[in-house]
Amino acid sequence: MTPPSTLATAQRSLGDPDISYPLWPALTRGCPRTSTDTLSYPVDVDYAYERVDTALFEPGYAARHGVPRGAGIERWAPLLPPLDAPSLGEGGTPLIEFAPGVHIKDEARNPTWSHKDRLNRCTTSAAVRAGAPGVVVASSGNHGAAAAAYAARAGLRCVVFTSTDTPPAVDAFLHAYGAVVLPVPIDHRWPLVRKVVEHCGLHPVSNLTATHTGHAYGAEGYKTIAYEIHAELGAPAAVFVPTGYGELLYGVWKGFAELQRLGVTDSVPRIFACEPAAGGPLAAAVRAGVPATTVEVGDTDAYGIDCSVGGYRGVVALRASEGRPLLLTDDEMRAAQRELAAAGLWVELSAAAGLAGLRQVGDVEGPAVCISTSSGFKDVSVGTRTSEPVDPAWDEVRRRLRASGIDA
Amino acid sequence: MTPPSTLATAQRSLGDPDISYPLWPALTRGCPRTSTDTLSYPVDVDYAYERVDTALFEPGYAARHGVPRGAGIERWAPLLPPLDAPSLGEGGTPLIEFAPGVHIKDEARNPTWSHKDRLNRCTTSAAVRAGAPGVVVASSGNHGAAAAAYAARAGLRCVVFTSTDTPPAVDAFLHAYGAVVLPVPIDHRWPLVRKVVEHCGLHPVSNLTATHTGHAYGAEGYKTIAYEIHAELGAPAAVFVPTGYGELLYGVWKGFAELQRLGVTDSVPRIFACEPAAGGPLAAAVRAGVPATTVEVGDTDAYGIDCSVGGYRGVVALRASEGRPLLLTDDEMRAAQRELAAAGLWVELSAAAGLAGLRQVGDVEGPAVCISTSSGFKDVSVGTRTSEPVDPAWDEVRRRLRASGIDA
């Protein structure tokens, strides 16, 4: 028995859900009809929901249908856009019960060790279908490396415009998969992405618009996080999501909303957006009551989510789930990062924003899931210091052990 | 329905399989009766095989028995030692069809991004059962960090004696989980581990003997790699294993041998040991026809597997599976590392030894699996350079793109 194929039917405007576009070509600049020069509305993917066999959500479905672990999110193919790019085995990450009622969804267990692999499986698939010679992306880390990996796997070229202050280990990561990596001043990244799209015909897999819309298919990949959480836990009371442009936030919400629409669950968790206090375009948009806005970004080490530009997806997810935006200081994220490390999970600062959000809110009534997006190897401090050698004489070693509280 | 618990019965000497010891306490210095001052024989774990329900190996078993993904290798509990330490969701890694008939088992998808998590779940469990206040380990990287993570998760202390030339990103990794990290000259590491065991009562999770024996329970964790491969592929023709002390090699062989013994498969793959040509104690032992030996180690960047000390486990696995030892130069491993990166898999040099081994052998008759043990973030070169900024003027960017073969 082979897994059913996609039931995707169209691209739907979030600016006006009555407006639909054909499924192809994938829209990479949001909804052309509802967007203006200063405010852009994204599109997402619509499906023939009435044709979804809900056995898809039963335990053992993948095994029964012979979908190997290495096929990754293909296990959810009916509710994803067509997956023309080969898999690297993305998804299927564990949910760790970190404390009673508090679960960590460990996205550092993806092929390039972040959630971005789920998105890039979908966007690279669009590039393959479009017949593009490659993809182009503006990214300071995880998104760029994931795009490079999926492009390499699909036999496509990849160009990454990155910032000039990339941490050293992340610099190696961006270069690892053979992409053309060009560090440029941050304001030049998006204009250069547009140039490369126009001049070279590369398929854009990051944003091109005034407020964030990103790729039509990207957030679909993130829905699989909701499906996976539900398979293990049912619908939790709340999900705390590290938030940059809000694509992950939206995808997680949409996944649960689909489960409710299909009658698989009767509730949708409250979704909390966890942005750095130094920026926070989604919190600013909610405060101002607008669909999306831009903000100045101050000093923060949470470089994975320190976006100046927000998007309408985040507003939709918060409103529909009765969630809200949270602003986290670096100190709050560092405390959450330490708490996770002390339980055996090493995450980059941005990835700790989810747990930091839960800690800021305090209790929630029922199970809470904090999404941890990425590995500690991507942190700004990695590779900047090396330990000094220690005198191997037992007296000196013993002194060190005692100083560390070990009974020696 | 809860998953069955362990069917482990005893510790069995590999020096003389007729010699058995009780399951507890876990032996951390090999078989006391068959070992001498210069040659040590390991022990492994025996099980009540006649009581194993082979439904354990059927697809969907974990789902039917309600074993969550976050419980990791607990899904195979009947054929593992008691798992008293909590899980970090180890195992369940994808098998990627890299080329027709060539599969990569991507162990960089574990909690600390290497195969060592499977071992440390088992050894930390022994430390918990023993009531030890912590664990102690000698390691230049993955083993130490995995021990630190599992100890932290279990609420135990961890002391890591590491080498003085740890790569900068790996230095951050070793420190991430709150372990006491002491870089000492390499020859001092094992005597200091012994001292800490004697003086502080910490449980040793690396080797203490003249030739390698390691922990009685460690290699058991690696058997789950064989079970996972078999569940997706049946028994392949050959498995290529990056080899340091030979624990991974032995565990993978033992897993397949158990499947054969239980009638789940009728063949065991040939197991190929992939050691760096700069060292290679297993190849040396096979050449000399001895159970284990030590060698001088020359210059190599494959620091994860550049062991001077071999162990008898490797000899057993090669002999029983009709496999053989392969010696790989750094150039061969680098070529395999590039080949993997070009397909979207970034691995450290040692982890590429498996594919390098297959490339050296050429064709095998039937499916081949190469185990890739760990992530590229652990490579010696990571963090040692940062890219130069690029002039963002389009003419300059275009020149760069053309120089990289992109039609701009």
Side-chain angles (χ1 to χ4, degrees), chain B residues 54-293:
Chain B
T54 56
L56 178 64
F57 303 102
E58 288 167 11
Y61 173 88
R64 280 196 307 279
H65 287 262
V67 189
R69 173 76 184 83
I73 59 172
E74 211 147 304
R75 179 243 175 286
W76 308 104
L79 288 170
L80 293 173
L83 297 173
D84 290 311
S87 178
L88 287 165
E90 62 287 335
T93 60
L95 193 65
I96 309 288
E97 190 163 10
F98 168 74
V102 180
H103 303 261
I104 304 294
K105 183 69 171 164
D106 185 6
E107 288 292 293
R109 308 286 295 279
N110 275 298
T112 72
W113 312 291
S114 92
H115 64 300
K116 293 283 185 183
D117 293 315
R118 300 184 194 252
L119 176 145
N120 278 286
R121 176 85 193 278
C122 296
T123 53
T124 310
S125 289
V128 168
R129 177 72 68 106
V135 299
V136 56
V137 56
S139 165
S140 53
N142 288 321
H143 188 15
Y150 279 83
R153 174 84 170 143
L156 300 182
R157 299 302 305 268
C158 179
V159 175
V160 183
F161 291 103
T162 188
S163 53
T164 49
D165 57 354
T166 305
V170 175
D171 192 77
F173 180 42
L174 284 170
H175 281 88
Y177 305 97
V180 180
V181 181
L182 301 172
V184 294
I186 190 158
D187 289 346
H188 289 269
R189 297 192 310 175
W190 291 341
L192 283 169
V193 169
R194 281 189 211 104
K195 280 270 195 197
V196 168
V197 171
E198 288 158 22
H199 287 263
C200 314
L202 300 195
H203 194 77
V205 297
S206 57
N207 190 51
L208 290 171
T209 50
T211 59
H212 187 276
T213 63
H215 194 286
Y217 296 174
E220 302 301 305
Y222 294 139
K223 295 187 315 189
T224 59
I225 294 176
Y227 305 157
E228 291 175 14
I229 292 171
H230 179 268
E232 297 213 41
L233 204 64
V239 183
F240 294 82
V241 187
T243 298
Y245 296 121
E247 290 179 292
L248 175 61
L249 189 79
Y250 181 79
V252 170
W253 166 75
K254 186 177 175 184
F256 282 109
E258 288 178 330
L259 291 169
Q260 188 180 42
R261 174 180 184 154
L262 292 164
V264 177
T265 180
D266 51 17
S267 68
V268 167
R270 293 184 72 188
I271 310 284
F272 290 85
C274 304
E275 294 178 292
L282 177 54
V286 169
R287 234 175 8 241
V290 296
T293 190

Side-chain angles (χ1 to χ4, degrees), chain A residues 384-403:
Chain A
T384 56
R385 61 159 232 166
T386 309
S387 299
E388 287 301 306
V390 166
D391 175 355
W394 174 240
D395 279 353
E396 175 57 19
V397 168
R398 177 177 244 174
R399 196 188 63 74
R400 296 266 188 157
L401 293 174
R402 286 176 176 166

Side-chain angles (χ1 to χ4, degrees), chain A residues 234-249:
Chain A
V239 183
F240 293 82
V241 187
T243 298
Y245 296 122
E247 289 178 292
L248 175 62
L249 188 80

Side-chain angles (χ1 to χ4, degrees), chain A residues 154-168:
Chain A
L156 301 181
R157 300 301 304 267
C158 178
V159 175
V160 184
F161 290 103
T162 188
S163 53
T164 49
D165 57 354
T166 304

Side-chain angles (χ1 to χ4, degrees), chain A residues 101-121:
Chain A
V102 179
H103 303 260
I104 304 293
K105 182 70 170 164
D106 185 6
E107 288 291 292
R109 306 285 296 279
N110 276 298
T112 72
W113 312 290
S114 92
H115 64 301
K116 292 284 186 182
D117 292 314
R118 300 184 193 252
L119 176 145
N120 278 286
R121 176 87 193 276

